[in-house]
Amino acid sequence: MATKKPGGLAEVVAGQTAISTVGKEGRGLTYRGYSIDDLASHASFEETAFLLIYGKLPNQAELQQYKRKLSGLRRLPAGLLTILEQLPSSTHPMDVLRTGVSALGAFEPEREGHDQYEIADRLIASSASILLYWHHFHAGGSRIDTETDNDSIAGHFLQLLHGHRPNELHEKGLDVSLILYAEHEFNASTFAARVTASTLSDMYSAVTTGIGTLRGHLHGGANEAAMELIEQFAGPSEAESGILQMLREKKLIMGFGHRVYSVSDPRSDIIKKWSRKLSEDTGDLSLYLVSERIEQIMLQEKKLFANLDFYSASAYRLMGIPTSLFTPIFVISRTSGWSAHIIEQRAHNRLIRPNADYTGSDPLSWTPIDQRV
Ligand code: COA
């Protein structure tokens, strides 16, 4: 990979955290000390969210209670449903979530003495309701019930989306993906959320900041952009020539590269296996084979590796999820990491306010308006 360019706070240590390690030698990617491999193999997303927010793995009773609690926090205020109905059907689902979270903060504001943990759990539990209430209202005119009998967020999401109990493999695949997306140290959206929290703003404002920052294609939006890329190609050889052409034109290939990792993204290996498993389950390997060829070309031509967003795209498509909901799923998951960081920032707060190198003009003498050219 080419040497890092200056700017973008690359390699700057901007604060401390005890929540996760990302690409630290000898540690890899860990959440509160637990490796991402162990979490993806043994934990559920709810267990992971509890670990991130409350700082320890839940025991059996705590996990059951936490899942029950989250399941009981899915209903939305009537006023918020009306707002969701008023949004245009052309709204990007990320804008729906940004608006929905912000509006929830008006209906259930964080007041003095409010428990920030309760708000974190409410947001994790109700984001799918916001998103899919809007989705069904605008896609088919139906006002869905935002509660289901499924106590996993992954299963609940798929059940609300498709209107029936999900295939077990799909539910497990989505659950693993939520675990992988939950936390990633000082990534752009988490850092932005911490900046907002550092001004002593409220939790909803900090999470809304995170959503706005995640939306861009260089960050969370890359999973949607990667899907659009993969779907352009009818097969692996078309993908190979197409990618080579894009590289000649110096285009960015979405779902590749990373600011912190230089050799590989440990999350990508896990989601790649899931993409393969889901493809084999449906008996259609076409998206997977196109993705694999793109990955080979990127490694060969640019020494760039797939990041988490790349194989998440085909995995989500195989679960029947529309592309425009890919980045919102990232929000549902990352709300756990953002919340943990907001709580941590508040516990050791100092206003985040860096300096800038000034590159503007030397002091100028004042020019009255009638003498200006
Ligand atoms: N496709 C093509 N070239 C890429 C690339 C990609 N996905 N990612 C990096 N490069 C190139 C850059 O153009 C740059 O080349 P140059 O020095 O000739 O200009 C070089 O590799 C170094 O990259 P740099 O811009 O310094 O990386 P960064 O740390 O600023 O950016 C990302 C990191 C993630 C924003 C960047 O890799 C990217 O844009 N990836 C695509 C979007 C994406 O997948 N985002 C999700 C991240 S999890």
Side-chain angles (χ1 to χ4, degrees), residues 31-59:
Y31 297 172
R32 303 267 187 204
Y34 294 97
S35 83
I36 193 72
D37 298 281
D38 277 342
L39 289 162
S41 305
H42 308 299
S44 61
F45 172 65
E46 291 73 18
E47 225 169 327
T48 306
F50 188 100
L51 171 70
L52 290 169
I53 295 170
Y54 294 91
K56 70 179 259 297
L57 279 175
N59 63 29

Side-chain angles (χ1 to χ4, degrees), residues 87-98:
L87 294 178
S89 19
S90 57
T91 310
H92 189 283
M94 281 297 279
D95 298 345
V96 172
L97 269 187
R98 194 193 58 224

Side-chain angles (χ1 to χ4, degrees), residues 4-5 218 222 252-259 304 307 309:
K4 294 279 181 201
K5 287 180 284 199
L218 296 190
L252 275 180
I253 310 299
M254 292 301 165
F256 286 87
H258 200 272
R259 172 57 68 76
L304 283 172
N307 57 47
D309 292 316

Side-chain angles (χ1 to χ4, degrees), residues 152-261:
S152 98
I153 288 180
H156 169 66
F157 178 92
L158 290 171
Q159 197 161 324
L160 278 188
L161 176 63
H162 297 310
H164 55 78
R165 265 199 105 71
N167 164 320
E168 258 178 54
L169 194 69
H170 292 188
E171 180 170 335
K172 182 63 197 148
L174 185 58
D175 190 61
V176 168
S177 148
L178 295 178
I179 293 171
L180 298 177
Y181 269 128
E183 161 57 15
H184 218 222
E185 197 218 47
F186 279 16
N187 61 89
S189 57
T190 300
F191 187 63
R194 285 188 79 127
V195 171
T196 300
S198 85
T199 69
L200 302 184
S201 187
D202 69 298
M203 191 112 184
Y204 296 94
S205 297
V207 171
T208 307
T209 301
I211 297 173
T213 310
L214 190 75
R215 190 187 193 294
H217 282 181
L218 296 190
H219 193 6
N223 56 13
E224 294 181 17
M227 190 72 256
E228 281 155 21
L229 173 82
I230 296 162
E231 278 180 331
Q232 281 174 33
F233 305 119
S237 51
E238 199 182 293
E240 177 166 342
S241 50
I243 294 295
L244 288 170
Q245 180 59 27
M246 287 176 78
L247 290 177
R248 277 193 291 277
E249 291 166 9
K250 302 249 172 276
K251 289 194 174 145
L252 275 180
I253 310 299
M254 292 301 165
F256 286 87
H258 200 272
R259 172 57 68 76
V260 178
Y261 300 124

Side-chain angles (χ1 to χ4, degrees), residues 38-188:
D38 277 342
L39 289 162
S41 305
H42 308 299
S44 61
F45 172 65
E46 291 73 18
E47 225 169 327
T48 306
F50 188 100
L51 171 70
L52 290 169
I53 295 170
Y54 294 91
K56 70 179 259 297
L57 279 175
N59 63 29
Q60 193 75 44
E62 285 168 332
L63 180 59
Q64 268 176 7
Q65 198 196 354
Y66 191 52
K67 288 179 94 165
R68 256 200 313 275
K69 178 184 182 189
L70 292 178
S71 301
L73 291 172
R74 292 170 175 168
R75 196 167 285 287
L76 301 176
L80 177 49
L81 299 179
T82 308
I83 290 173
L84 294 171
E85 290 178 13
Q86 294 296 315
L87 294 178
S89 19
S90 57
T91 310
H92 189 283
M94 281 297 279
D95 298 345
V96 172
L97 269 187
R98 194 193 58 224
T99 306
V101 166
S102 181
L104 192 63
F107 289 104
E108 300 170 7
E110 181 175 25
R111 296 205 179 88
E112 195 78 17
H114 241 96
D115 185 348
Q116 55 187 346
Y117 294 89
E118 294 299 318
I119 296 176
D121 292 340
R122 172 71 162 138
L123 287 174
I124 292 168
S126 63
S127 301
S129 307
I130 294 173
L131 188 65
L132 293 171
Y133 184 86
W134 171 85
H135 173 77
H136 285 293
F137 183 80
H138 290 279
S142 56
R143 294 186 163 96
I144 60 159
D145 180 355
T146 57
E147 295 194 82
T148 67
D149 58 0
N150 198 316
D151 72 354
S152 98
I153 288 180
H156 169 66
F157 178 92
L158 290 171
Q159 197 161 324
L160 278 188
L161 176 63
H162 297 310
H164 55 78
R165 265 199 105 71
N167 164 320
E168 258 178 54
L169 194 69
H170 292 188
E171 180 170 335
K172 182 63 197 148
L174 185 58
D175 190 61
V176 168
S177 148
L178 295 178
I179 293 171
L180 298 177
Y181 269 128
E183 161 57 15
H184 218 222
E185 197 218 47
F186 279 16
N187 61 89

Side-chain angles (χ1 to χ4, degrees), residues 9-25 27-32 36 52 180-194 219 258-261 267 330 334 336-342 344:
L9 296 180
E11 288 163 32
V12 170
V13 174
Q16 295 186 316
T17 184
I19 300 169
S20 63
T21 60
V22 173
K24 297 272 182 296
E25 212 171 312
R27 292 190 175 164
L29 174 57
T30 63
Y31 297 172
R32 303 267 187 204
I36 193 72
L52 290 169
L180 298 177
Y181 269 128
E183 161 57 15
H184 218 222
E185 197 218 47
F186 279 16
N187 61 89
S189 57
T190 300
F191 187 63
R194 285 188 79 127
H219 193 6
H258 200 272
R259 172 57 68 76
V260 178
Y261 300 124
R267 304 166 300 174
F330 193 159
R334 186 57 61 87
S336 61
W338 289 333
S339 301
H341 278 272
I342 293 163
E344 185 182 62

